[in-house]
C-alpha cells in the first residue's frame, strides 16, 4: 500500500468534519424559505436559472401552504373559542336564574363569568341536585296522587267506586304526609336520584291530566243526571 493510500488519523477527523457539515447544510436547506434561498444566491429572481427558479417557486409554494394551514388552524381556534364563550355565557345565565328562583341552599354556591365551561357545568349539576333533593318529597307526593287518581279511574271504569275520593283525601292530608315523605327521602328509604326536573314536570303534568279527566267526567255524569230528570 502506498503512502498516498494510507488513512491517517487527521484524514479521518477531516472526513467526520465534512460529513457533519454536509448534514448541517442539508438540515438548513430543509428549513430554508424562498426568501432565505434568494438571499443565499444573492441575486434577483429575474436572474435565476430555470433550475433555481423552479426551486424558488417550490419553496414559495411550501411557505404558502404552511401559512394557509396555520391561518386555518387559527381561524378554527377562534371559532371554537367564540362558541365556548357563548356556551359559558348561556350557562352562567342559567345558573344565575336558578340561584334567584331557588335561593335556599344555593346562595353559598359561587358562580363567576370567568369560570371555565366545565366548572360552570359542574356547578349546574350541583345546583340541580340540591333543588331536586329539596323538592323531592313534593314530587313523591304528586306521584302518590297520580297513582291514586289512576287507580280511581281504573276501578270506576269497571263500575267500582269504593276508592272514589281517595286522591282528594290524600290531598287534604298533604301537610301530614309531606314531613313523612321528607324523612323517607332524607334517610334514603325513597331514592330520588332520578328525579330530574324533566321527570318532575312530567309527573305533575300527568297528575293534572288525570285530575282534569276526572273532573270533566264528573261534570258529564252530573249533566246526564240533570238531562234525565228534565226529560222525565
Amino acid at each position: 500500500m502506498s503512502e498516498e493510500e494510507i488513512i491517517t488519523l487527521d484524514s479521518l477527523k477531516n472526513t467526520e468534519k465534512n460529513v457533519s457539515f454536509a448534514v448541517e447544510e442539508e438540515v438548513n436547506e430543509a428549513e430554508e424559505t424562498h426568501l432565505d434561498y434568494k438571499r443565499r444566491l444573492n441575486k434577483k429572481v429575474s436572474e435565476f436559472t430555470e433550475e433555481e427558479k423552479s426551486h424558488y417557486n417550490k419553496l414559495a409554494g411550501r411557505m404558502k401552504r404552511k401559512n394557509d394551514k396555520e391561518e386555518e388552524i387559527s381561524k378554527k381556534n377562534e371559532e371554537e373559542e367564540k362558541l365556548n364563550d357563548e356556551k359559558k355565557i348561556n350557562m352562567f345565565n342559567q345558573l344565575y336564574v336558578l340561584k334567584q328562583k331557588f335561593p335556599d341552599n344555593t346562595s353559598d354556591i359561587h358562580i363567576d363569568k370567568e369560570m371555565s365551561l366545565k366548572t360552570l357545568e359542574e356547578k349546574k349539576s350541583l345546583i340541580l341536585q340540591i333543588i331536586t333533593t329539596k323538592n323531592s318529597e313534593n314530587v313523591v307526593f304528586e306521584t302518590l296522587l297520580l297513582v291514586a287518581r289512576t287507580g280511581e279511574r281504573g276501578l270506576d271504569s269497571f263500575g267500582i267506586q269504593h276508592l272514589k275520593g281517595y286522591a282528594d283525601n290524600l290531598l287534604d292530608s298533604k301537610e301530614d304526609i309531606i314531613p313523612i315523605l321528607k324523612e323517607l327521602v332524607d334517610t334514603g328509604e325513597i331514592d330520588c336520584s332520578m328525579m330530574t326536573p324533566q321527570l318532575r314536570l312530567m309527573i305533575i303534568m300527568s297528575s293534572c291530566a288525570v285530575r282534569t279527566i276526572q273532573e270533566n267526567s264528573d261534570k258529564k255524569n252530573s249533566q246526564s243526571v240533570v238531562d234525565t230528570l228534565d226529560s222525565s
Side-chain angles (χ1 to χ4, degrees):
M1 181 181 295
S2 63
E3 293 183 358
E4 294 180 354
E5 295 176 340
I6 296 176
I7 300 177
T8 64
L9 182 59
D10 291 337
S11 64
L12 288 175
K13 289 182 179 180
N14 291 335
T15 302
E16 291 175 356
K17 183 177 180 181
N18 292 336
V19 171
S20 176
F21 176 78
V23 172
E24 183 178 357
E25 184 178 3
E26 182 180 351
V27 172
N28 289 338
E29 288 183 356
E31 298 176 354
E32 189 177 39
T33 67
H34 62 296
L35 298 177
D36 295 333
Y37 180 67
K38 180 175 179 295
R39 282 193 292 268
R40 182 159 63 85
L41 295 183
N42 194 25
K43 57 183 179 180
K44 299 178 179 179
V45 177
S46 58
E47 299 174 351
F48 285 180
T49 65
E50 290 299 323
E51 183 179 355
E52 290 170 342
K53 187 177 296 185
S54 176
H55 187 64
Y56 175 84
N57 292 334
K58 179 181 177 181
L59 294 177
R62 184 177 67 183
M63 176 61 69
K64 184 178 184 304
R65 289 191 297 272
K66 180 181 179 182
N67 292 337
D68 290 344
K69 186 175 181 180
E70 290 177 350
E71 183 178 353
E72 181 182 354
I73 293 175
S74 177
K75 185 178 180 181
K76 185 178 179 180
N77 290 337
E78 289 178 0
E79 291 176 351
E80 290 180 352
E81 185 176 354
K82 182 180 179 181
L83 181 61
N84 189 61
D85 289 340
E86 291 177 355
K87 289 181 178 179
K88 281 174 57 177
I89 293 174
N90 291 335
M91 182 63 66
F92 176 83
N93 291 337
Q94 290 179 27
L95 295 180
Y96 182 82
V97 172
L98 285 174
K99 283 173 62 66
Q100 293 298 313
K101 286 187 174 182
F102 305 96
D104 295 343
N105 300 323
T106 63
S107 58
D108 293 336
I109 300 179
H110 175 68
I111 58 174
D112 192 286
K113 291 183 179 180
E114 300 302 321
M115 291 179 174
S116 66
L117 180 60
K118 182 179 179 182
T119 300
L120 291 175
E121 288 175 343
E122 292 173 351
K123 298 279 187 178
K124 180 180 179 181
S125 178
L126 177 59
I127 290 176
L128 289 178
Q129 184 178 359
I130 292 174
I131 295 173
T132 299
T133 302
K134 181 174 178 57
N135 295 275
S136 292
E137 61 271 16
N138 291 307
V139 179
V140 174
F141 182 76
E142 289 293 335
T143 305
L144 293 177
L145 285 180
L146 175 60
V147 173
R149 291 195 175 99
T150 303
E152 285 184 40
R153 298 305 303 165
L155 292 176
D156 188 58
S157 63
F158 290 101
I160 302 174
Q161 298 184 345
H162 297 297
L163 286 179
K164 188 174 180 61
Y166 177 53
D168 292 334
N169 291 332
L170 283 178
L171 189 58
D172 292 339
S173 304
K174 181 177 180 179
E175 292 184 1
D176 297 325
I177 296 175
I178 285 294
I180 299 174
L181 292 177
K182 186 177 187 320
E183 183 178 351
L184 292 173
V185 170
D186 292 341
T187 58
E189 294 294 327
I190 298 178
D191 183 12
C192 296
S193 59
M194 300 301 293
M195 289 289 184
T196 62
Q198 295 87 344
L199 180 58
R200 290 161 47 202
L201 177 63
M202 183 186 71
I203 291 173
I204 294 175
M205 291 184 67
S206 299
S207 181
C208 291
V210 173
R211 185 169 66 249
T212 303
I213 292 173
Q214 184 176 0
E215 291 173 352
N216 290 334
S217 180
D218 292 341
K219 290 179 182 178
K220 184 177 180 181
N221 292 335
S222 298
Q223 187 63 41
S224 298
V225 172
V226 172
D227 292 342
T228 300
L229 292 175
D230 289 343
S231 61
S232 60

